[in-house]
Amino acid sequence: MMTLAIELSSVLGSVALLSDQAVLAEETWNDRSIRGQQLFRLLPDLLKKHGCALNDIDCFVAGRGPGVYSGMRVAITSIQALALPGKKTMYTLSSGEALAREISETAPAGRPVAIVGDARRDQVWYGVFRRTDGLLACESAWALSGPDEL
């Protein structure tokens, strides 16, 4: 199964092409001002390098934050636009939970992992996760607070 994944909920944007669970290609960029524009500049070359066309993609995935609202909106709208003509499958995944899963794999067993990001206006968003028996569990729902309260 071919999957195209788009993540734009942070300053670092990325697009990845996957075959089953193997990453075939990934492009990342670090420029908030051209987040959506860069996606559409890189996407055709990414597909072409791997002999893949949009029709070959079975599933489209977008990161749904928490994070930068405008980036999430661009990512979700993009997968909808790309998937709709072929009535392909679309998913959104928690960007923060994906990061927590990656970090928890190297953390000592049972140790909590906190994911924290800048929510602007003197606030941060955060979530706390714990990996037990190979499964990641959310210990606190995503929340906002002032940095001093955290």
Side-chain angles (χ1 to χ4, degrees):
M1 175 166 63
M2 296 293 285
T3 302
L4 182 71
I6 300 171
E7 173 57 65
L8 301 175
S9 68
S10 73
V11 174
L12 184 65
S14 66
V15 59
L17 181 64
L18 299 93
S19 176
D20 295 320
Q21 294 181 0
V23 177
L24 298 178
E26 178 182 19
E27 293 285 345
T28 61
W29 59 96
N30 190 357
D31 191 344
R32 182 174 282 165
S33 65
I34 61 168
R35 181 179 296 116
Q37 295 169 3
Q38 193 67 0
L39 168 65
F40 292 104
R41 287 184 193 139
L42 295 172
L43 185 55
D45 288 339
L46 181 97
L47 295 172
K48 187 176 180 180
K49 283 181 195 175
H50 294 280
C52 186
L54 283 174
N55 290 341
D56 300 328
I57 306 295
D58 302 300
C59 179
F60 294 85
V61 180
R64 63 172 162 81
V68 179
Y69 177 72
S70 60
M72 290 182 278
R73 190 174 62 205
V74 169
I76 292 168
T77 302
S78 297
I79 67 163
Q80 288 174 328
L82 295 169
L84 186 61
K87 298 180 181 174
K88 303 291 177 101
T89 303
M90 298 175 285
Y91 294 101
T92 61
L93 296 176
S94 169
S95 309
E97 189 171 339
L99 182 57
R101 175 171 294 285
E102 182 178 347
I103 292 169
S104 73
E105 289 175 359
T106 60
R111 178 166 289 172
V113 172
I115 304 299
V116 182
D118 183 2
R120 300 184 187 173
R121 297 186 177 112
D122 293 325
Q123 290 194 312
V124 294
W125 51 260
Y126 66 93
V128 179
F129 299 84
R130 188 181 305 267
R131 187 181 193 90
T132 307
D133 297 327
L135 299 174
L136 187 68
C138 183
E139 291 199 344
S140 72
W142 292 108
L144 284 173
S145 75
D148 296 335
E149 299 164 19
L150 184 62

